Amino acid sequence: MSLIVVGSMAFDDIETPFGRSDRIIGGAATYITWAAAQFVRPIRQVSVVGGDFPQKELNALEEIGVDLEGVQVKAGEKSFFWSGRYHMDMNTRDTLVTELNVLENFDPLIPESYQGSEFLMLGNLSPDVQNKVIDRLRHRPRLIAMDTMNFWMDIARPDLDRLLKRIDVLMVNDAEARQLSGEYSLVKAARSILGKMGPRYLVIKKGEHGALLFHENHVFFAPALPLEEVFDPTGAGDSFAGGFIGYIAKTKDISFENLKSAIIVGSALASFCVEKFGTERLREIRLDDIHARIRQFVDLVHFDIDLK
Ligand code: AMP
């Protein structure tokens, strides 16, 4: 089992209509790794932080079996900082501040010990950096999954188009799928992305309305668990990605059938993430909690129908 996770490690400042987090630890790779570590160890992390990033956070990752050789620490520089405010629906948000800091000139380092990894999860980052990671791997992993966002579609489309041709699984939200394809219908968007752009699998995340997995002419739906309270949706997409790729790395099975299971696992991890601020809930849960929650997902959608 060998998984490389690439992405931001950050300070976040999150405001929701119900509370405020102040400066907490976030970043796409942080969420992905806390979720994926439920299934696979070691995780080989590739990221960059400033000298202001707490050593105790790095220690906590090492304790759960994360290899940090590929995490550069730039003493005297500041870590990536992001701040966002959620609307009343807790599904949409405004970015208030993005300070790239160490991410501005991020040149990803792939330690020799990471070579030969079977699975690669490219968290949301500039497509130029995501491309560089693939360039620097001597053997193509068996499965490459990636996340991206509207920001990169606006400013780095040529790099993004090149990257899409090199990966297997694209994970985006509904608005991003529409922007990427220019199609409003998600079925048409999927046909266009899978038909022309490169990925073999497409996951479209729809927040509290679940996620769709497209492959060739097939489509599969995973619900989101209806939760009584959502404290902080930040990182839900990344926790989904971490659960998805962690489960695939554990089972080593890249069939469509197993990818279906993986998006249910991803949905379960996302449902935990939103229950507390930041990564707090992901750090508490154990495999038993995940199994119990997956049973809830099964009950949610299972029905026997006997048409008369
Ligand atoms: P999500 O809610 O799953 O979209 O992910 C939120 C996380 O992504 C936060 O913890 C942020 O630190 C991180 N993030 C936000 N914008 C960016 C960006 N432009 N590049 C890299 N990471 C980002």
Side-chain angles (χ1 to χ4, degrees):
M1 282 186 287
S2 45
L3 169 66
I4 300 179
V5 169
V6 186
S8 53
M9 294 170 76
F11 288 118
D12 289 347
D13 193 340
I14 299 152
E15 253 181 73
T16 76
F18 314 104
R20 188 169 178 168
S21 72
D22 285 328
R23 239 162 90 99
I24 56 172
I25 298 296
T30 306
Y31 285 100
I32 293 169
T33 292
W34 276 103
Q38 295 285 345
F39 304 100
V40 52
R41 295 170 187 203
I43 291 174
R44 296 161 171 173
Q45 188 107 331
V46 175
S47 190
V48 61
V49 295
D52 54 355
F53 202 79
Q55 184 61 40
K56 90 172 192 333
E57 288 301 325
L58 300 174
N59 295 346
L61 288 171
E62 273 178 335
E63 274 162 29
I64 59 160
V66 181
D67 185 340
L68 298 177
E69 204 186 335
V71 176
Q72 301 168 54
V73 181
K74 304 266 180 187
E77 292 185 47
K78 281 163 70 180
S79 300
F80 176 68
F81 174 73
W82 176 82
S83 147
R85 182 189 291 138
Y86 286 88
H87 300 171
M88 212 50 205
D89 65 2
M90 294 291 267
N91 240 349
T92 47
R93 71 184 177 205
D94 296 322
T95 289
L96 303 177
V97 183
T98 301
E99 286 174 15
L100 288 176
N101 301 326
V102 285
L103 271 192
E104 185 144 18
N105 298 309
F106 179 35
D107 191 18
L109 175 101
I110 307 293
E112 189 56 32
S113 61
Y114 288 19
Q115 294 292 345
S117 293
E118 284 176 284
F119 299 95
L120 171 62
M121 178 70 227
L122 296 169
N124 176 31
L125 269 182
S126 103
D128 175 44
V129 172
Q130 292 171 314
N131 268 313
K132 276 191 182 136
V133 170
I134 301 180
D135 291 342
R136 292 172 186 179
L137 292 174
R138 286 198 295 280
H139 302 281
R140 187 192 191 280
R142 281 180 64 209
L143 194 84
I144 305 179
M146 67 165 276
D147 186 12
T148 188
M149 69 190 291
N150 53 352
F151 181 71
W152 306 118
M153 295 175 199
D154 293 336
I155 68 156
R157 189 63 196 249
D159 283 341
L160 181 60
D161 285 341
R162 176 167 166 258
L163 177 66
L164 287 171
K165 298 226 174 331
R166 311 173 77 192
I167 58 110
D168 302 293
V169 186
L170 173 65
M171 307 173 109
V172 285
N173 68 29
D174 41 1
E176 291 156 354
R178 291 186 170 116
Q179 178 170 349
L180 190 63
S181 62
E183 296 282 2
Y184 187 80
S185 148
L186 293 180
V187 175
K188 284 188 181 166
R191 194 176 301 139
S192 160
I193 292 168
L194 294 178
K196 293 188 247 169
M197 297 187 192
R200 293 185 293 131
Y201 298 95
L202 172 67
V203 178
I204 301 183
K205 297 168 286 179
K206 299 175 68 185
E208 63 177 328
H209 304 296
L212 295 160
L213 170 67
F214 292 90
H215 173 57
E216 295 172 347
N217 292 322
H218 310 289
V219 56
F220 177 72
F221 173 69
L225 198 68
L227 294 169
E228 204 166 304
E229 272 179 308
V230 170
F231 272 94
D232 171 18
T234 308
D238 303 315
S239 308
F240 180 101
F244 174 87
I245 199 74
Y247 183 74
I248 291 172
K250 174 186 171 154
T251 54
K252 292 176 171 259
D253 175 353
I254 58 172
S255 67
F256 182 54
E257 281 310 307
N258 199 49
L259 266 60
K260 288 184 188 175
S261 304
I263 71 164
I264 302 283
V265 175
S267 301
L269 271 293
S271 75
F272 283 116
C273 173
V274 303
E275 287 180 337
K276 292 196 175 170
F277 270 112
T279 52
E280 197 181 334
R281 188 75 180 114
L282 290 179
R283 295 176 196 228
E284 295 170 351
I285 56 169
R286 300 288 169 263
L287 220 41
D288 283 353
D289 302 306
I290 297 173
H291 286 161
R293 184 141 299 182
I294 286 176
R295 278 195 294 279
Q296 283 181 275
F297 274 86
V298 172
D299 291 343
L300 185 68
V301 289
H302 181 85
F303 54 85
D304 291 313
I305 186 162
D306 186 11
L307 283 180
K308 305 281 183 251

